[in-house]
Amino acid sequence: MKEGVTFPLGLFEPAGSGARAISPLLWGLVWLSILVVVFIGVAVLAGIVVRGRGKREPNLVIPPRSGRGLWWIYGGVGISTIILIAFTGWTVTTMAGLTKPSAVPSLTVGVSARQWWWGFHYEAADPTKAFDTANELHIPVGEPVRFNLSSPDVIHSFWVPALGGKMDVIPGRTNQMWLEADKAGVYRGQCSEYCGREHAEMAFSIIAEPKVQFEAWRAAQQASAPIPATAELQDGLAHFVDRCGKCHSVRGTKANGAKGPDLTHLKSRATIAAGVLDNNLGNLSGWIAHPQGLKPGALMPDIAMSGPEFQSVLSYVETLK
Ligand code: HEC
Ligand SMILES: [Cu+2]
């Protein structure tokens, strides 16, 4: 059964100003490509038919090749060059139009593209209000949002086709882009620069929602994780810090690793492992027990735990709403 982020990328259904600006160019290139294929196909077929007739009908006199044939080459090269220059100009002006958002973005999100998941850092004027999350972005509808893109490992590419163009994420530098969603909805994002074994399983979603809902989500994310109330959960937290805390952070606890996604509000996300699995108890349990079976090569190793230890960690993780 297919799970996780399965809905299409929506390349041909622009839902944001960036994607809308690109759409005519996209269609222009699609139609140009179709025309070229059809034209060349017809020319090749015509050539075969005309030349072939000479073989089947020996009496037919085909005039010897003359210099006029070369005009096909001159004309072909000339017309192609003009069309290509025109499309280059169109591409460059479209790209230039995309560099400036419609308004100064009030929200900035740092994107850390990793093998093979996405870390998101929501900046805030008051640094105590900044927070991290992973693989699921929330943005307010109808407002440009700025993204600062960086990568600690290899080159990735940040792409949400329904909202805008793609931008490479390059180690050692911070690329900037912005996106704006016209309508509320869930949009699919995908890494679009081959980055290793699980490149295809490096999806994320953008949830564009009305400002009020967005603010409610942001306030909930800013909160630290609840302090465990029962002995079992306290045990779970202790094991979690011990076994998982070197790679994962849970705000408000001693777990402050940064090699894996921030799990403070794990259960608020719809999927886990960069859009690979639905976020439910069964999948979470399967993932923690044997991540290598679900996403081979993922940078979370299988971790050997005793039955009770595993159960307490799982129960604790389930409280991270
Ligand atoms: C060596 C580092 C490391 C350790 C130790 C580790 N993890 Fe992970 N974990 C990761 C990485 C990296 C990912 C992202 C994998 C991916 O999607 O490719 C991840 C992903 C996850 C996710 C999915 C999060 C999401 O939003 O997609 C959960 C849940 C998780 N780990 C739980 C745990 C638990 C519980 C433990 C301890 C038993 C643990 N991890 C130990 C590195 C680690
Ligand atoms: Cu990637």
Side-chain angles (χ1 to χ4, degrees), residues 114-118 133-136 198 201-202 239-248 258-263 266 269 271-277 279 284 287-289 291 295 297-301 303 305 310 313-314 317:
R114 321 280 188 101
Q115 289 173 315
W116 289 277
W117 58 280
W118 302 87
T133 179
N135 300 329
E136 196 177 288
E198 289 296 350
E201 301 282 27
M202 190 174 163
H239 291 309
F240 180 88
V241 170
D242 183 31
R243 313 306 297 267
C244 327
K246 279 181 200 67
C247 293
H248 293 287
K259 283 191 196 142
D262 185 296
L263 300 182
L266 168 71
R269 308 202 272 268
T271 64
I272 56 169
V276 174
L277 297 159
N279 188 359
L284 211 49
W287 173 263
I288 296 169
K295 193 169 174 181
L299 300 181
M300 170 161 160
I303 296 161
M305 285 183 278
F310 174 82
V313 167
L314 182 61
V317 166

Side-chain angles (χ1 to χ4, degrees), residues 113-116 118 154-157 191-196 199 202:
R114 321 280 188 101
Q115 289 173 315
W116 289 277
W118 302 87
V154 299
I155 301 177
H156 303 269
S157 181
C191 180
S192 70
E193 177 82 46
Y194 181 73
C195 59
H199 163 68
M202 190 174 163

Side-chain angles (χ1 to χ4, degrees), residues 27-254:
W27 281 110
L29 282 165
V30 167
W31 281 113
L32 178 69
S33 310
I34 291 172
L35 277 176
V36 168
V37 168
V38 169
F39 179 78
I40 305 245
V42 168
V44 167
L45 283 178
I48 291 170
V49 169
V50 170
R51 296 273 160 205
R53 249 173 44 202
K55 293 211 186 92
R56 282 193 309 276
E57 300 169 35
N59 293 332
L60 188 81
V61 180
I62 293 178
R65 280 170 198 264
S66 67
R68 274 179 320 166
L70 279 176
W71 283 105
W72 280 95
I73 311 246
Y74 299 147
V77 170
I79 292 169
S80 309
T81 307
I82 291 168
I83 292 177
L84 284 176
I85 289 174
F87 269 81
T88 307
W90 191 4
T91 305
V92 171
T93 42
T94 304
M95 282 171 71
L98 287 174
T99 55
K100 284 258 170 341
S102 59
V104 179
S106 61
L107 176 66
T108 300
V109 181
V111 174
S112 179
R114 321 280 188 101
Q115 289 173 315
W116 289 277
W117 58 280
W118 302 87
F120 300 125
H121 177 75
Y122 280 71
E123 290 179 9
D126 170 2
T128 62
K129 299 263 170 196
F131 62 89
D132 282 291
T133 179
N135 300 329
E136 196 177 288
L137 276 166
H138 285 239
I139 61 170
V141 125
E143 263 186 44
V145 177
R146 188 201 318 274
F147 295 97
N148 290 333
L149 311 166
S150 64
S151 161
D153 44 45
V154 299
I155 301 177
H156 303 269
S157 181
F158 181 81
W159 192 36
V160 190
L163 300 184
K166 56 175 85 161
M167 178 68 83
D168 272 9
V169 192
I170 301 168
R173 59 173 292 164
T174 302
N175 281 349
Q176 257 192 16
M177 75 177 298
W178 60 273
L179 293 174
E180 180 175 343
D182 300 338
K183 4 184 229 290
V186 185
Y187 304 101
R188 179 179 184 155
Q190 192 82 38
C191 180
S192 70
E193 177 82 46
Y194 181 73
C195 59
R197 185 162 174 192
E198 289 296 350
H199 163 68
E201 301 282 27
M202 190 174 163
F204 62 101
S205 27
I206 289 202
I207 293 151
E209 54 200 358
K211 187 93 179 168
V212 184
Q213 261 158 277
F214 169 75
E215 289 301 346
W217 174 84
R218 176 152 71 172
Q221 295 288 318
Q222 281 162 346
S224 293
I227 294 159
T230 67
E232 198 218 354
L233 293 179
Q234 279 157 12
D235 230 34
L237 170 58
H239 291 309
F240 180 88
V241 170
D242 183 31
R243 313 306 297 267
C244 327
K246 279 181 200 67
C247 293
H248 293 287
S249 283
V250 172
R251 263 171 291 132
T253 75
K254 290 204 178 86

